[in-house]
Amino acid sequence: MRAVLIDSEGSAPRLLEDADESLLSGEVALDVLVSSYNYKDGMAIAGKGIARTHPLIPGIDLVGRVTDVEPGTEGRFSAGDLVLLNGDGIGESRHGGFATRARVRADALVRLPAGLSPERAAAIGTAGFTAMLAVLRLEDTGVTPESGDVLVTGASGGAGSIAVALLAGRGHRVIASTGRSHENAEYLRELGAAEVMDRRELSEEPGRPLQSQRFAGAIDGVGSTTLANVLAQTSWGGTVAAYGLAQGPDLPTTVLPFILRGVTLAGVNSVECPLPLRERAWDTLAAELDMDLLDAMTTSIGLSETIDYAERILSGQVRGRTVVEVTQ
Ligand SMILES: NC(=O)c1ccc[n+]([C@@H]2O[C@H](COP(=O)([O-])OP(=O)(O)OC[C@H]3O[C@@H](n4cnc5c(N)ncnc54)[C@H](OP(=O)(O)O)[C@@H]3O)[C@@H](O)[C@H]2O)c1
């Protein structure tokens, strides 16, 4: 099989044209059809603490065709089924999608929704899946299009772009916060943003713990000072769904937004998400996401380009989503 392999902590990843398939273990064997590139994959390839075992094939997403199912675990899947997997430890503690073959656990494996191509499922990937989970957290806590404006931070990133498109598609008035408004304002408006704001308004200084109430809800991929200011500007009863830490993992805030405005801080974890929620999110994505917008935000690279690409995604130069063609 072809695979990108990180041999040991601190070693440079290598592209192997004839990697040994006996490296792989797991109940369901697959031909990987396509993978995708996430911020976390950049961190794994750059040796920034994502790989929890070695050797490791990175890639936290894959879409594939089942070739074989281990005895005792038959039932849900059989040879020929098209499936997808996001997270569940692949690309971190188990071998992932940057290869032409994979073996995975059955428990988190989702059947490819009808009508969704493998390439589009990969384009959605962990980023889109996470954005959908965040949108569902807003919905489940009562944030509706009538509640008021909804903010998306890190809006030009993979998860941010899909969050903007999903929220606008549901009828929310979306404010997109970005550090690249000069180059990405038009792109974000095409995704459905009603307003584009400069991220420095939120990221530079932790402001007062309670500020003017601007947002009925927010989806935050940035953390740190940005998240503290978002919480301080969330209206009474609003929800902030937090999934990322592009600015930092710290959160310099107080309890005041929670105890004086009843704000909910809802965490989103795509890696250990239970199967029924995975299936709900993927069915909703297939039904709601505008596929023309998805195509317009997606670029494609070959497996051979994945090693050099880490630097680009980690330095915030990538816009939207990147599909990885594992045979190229
Ligand atoms: N919880 C989960 O399950 C989960 C799942 C997926 C991703 N994540 C995390 O979510 C984050 C985003 O992931 P992604 O794959 O969408 O990454 P991405 O495509 O690289 O997008 C990240 C975006 O964050 C913004 N950003 C970057 N550096 C920043 C800074 N210093 N301050 C403020 N904003 C900054 C940039 O958007 P602008 O240029 O528009 O400002 C960038 O495009 C990462 O931290 C990732 O690890 C978590």
Side-chain angles (χ1 to χ4, degrees):
M1 64 175 180
R2 291 185 95 207
V4 172
L5 197 70
I6 307 169
D7 292 292
S8 58
E9 198 170 341
S11 71
R14 298 181 293 151
L15 173 65
L16 303 178
E17 294 296 338
D18 58 353
D20 185 355
E21 220 182 296
S22 67
L23 269 179
L24 305 176
S25 63
E27 297 153 348
V28 182
L30 310 160
D31 283 331
V32 179
L33 300 176
V34 60
S35 183
S36 88
Y37 213 107
N38 296 274
Y39 192 87
K40 249 187 186 175
D41 301 317
M43 290 176 76
I45 284 185
K48 292 188 189 283
I50 293 295
R52 287 195 240 130
T53 184
H54 294 91
L56 179 76
I57 299 171
I60 64 170
D61 289 329
L62 61 79
V63 184
R65 182 177 283 107
V66 175
T67 57
D68 193 16
V69 180
E70 262 181 16
T73 53
E74 308 96 327
R76 276 186 63 223
F77 299 106
S78 50
D81 288 347
L82 290 172
V83 291
L84 61 87
L85 182 60
N86 313 110
D88 195 43
I90 67 166
E92 296 188 64
S93 51
R94 301 187 191 110
H95 293 303
F98 287 4
T100 48
R101 293 279 293 159
R103 294 193 76 99
V104 298
R105 288 172 357 105
D107 284 359
L109 205 54
V110 172
R111 206 170 283 281
L112 190 71
L116 190 63
S117 69
E119 287 71 22
R120 282 177 169 158
I124 294 169
T126 284
F129 172 54
T130 303
M132 189 74 246
L133 292 175
V135 170
L136 294 175
R137 292 304 295 267
L138 296 192
E139 175 181 292
D140 292 347
T141 51
V143 178
T144 68
E146 292 68 43
S147 308
D149 292 354
V150 171
L151 174 74
V152 176
T153 62
S156 321
S161 295
I162 296 183
V164 170
L166 285 168
L167 288 166
R170 289 183 155 215
H172 290 276
R173 187 173 186 280
V174 180
I175 301 180
S177 162
T178 178
R180 296 178 280 174
S181 48
H182 52 290
E183 57 188 281
N184 287 343
E186 197 182 327
Y187 164 77
L188 291 166
R189 287 208 170 85
E190 278 165 12
L191 295 183
E195 268 180 54
V196 176
M197 68 184 270
D198 191 313
R199 77 175 179 215
R200 283 173 301 188
E201 273 189 56
L202 297 165
S203 66
E204 292 209 324
E205 299 274 326
R208 284 173 291 113
L210 291 177
Q211 303 169 32
S212 299
Q213 300 182 48
R214 295 173 73 183
F215 313 118
I219 293 182
D220 178 62
V222 169
S224 191
T225 308
T226 300
L227 179 54
N229 283 320
V230 171
L231 288 165
Q233 294 179 26
T234 299
S235 308
W236 194 95
T239 297
V240 179
Y243 70 87
L245 69 175
Q247 185 178 5
D250 58 315
L251 181 54
T253 189
T254 71
V255 296
L256 295 185
F258 312 116
I259 65 173
L260 294 182
R261 289 190 181 154
V263 168
T264 298
L265 178 57
V268 174
N269 178 354
S270 63
V271 178
E272 283 155 31
C273 182
L275 186 61
L277 184 53
R278 287 177 185 269
E279 290 173 335
R280 177 184 172 205
W282 273 101
D283 287 344
T284 315
L285 279 161
E288 289 190 9
L289 185 61
D290 181 327
M291 294 298 154
D292 291 334
L293 291 180
L294 178 68
D295 293 347
M297 72 172 81
T298 303
T299 47
S300 168
I301 61 171
L303 198 62
S304 56
E305 295 168 84
T306 52
I307 295 171
D308 291 344
Y309 204 73
E311 170 66 30
R312 289 197 56 204
I313 199 158
L314 294 181
S315 59
Q317 293 171 49
V318 172
R319 183 168 91 176
R321 294 285 297 141
T322 306
V323 157
V324 177
E325 301 289 353
V326 293
T327 54
Q328 287 171 27

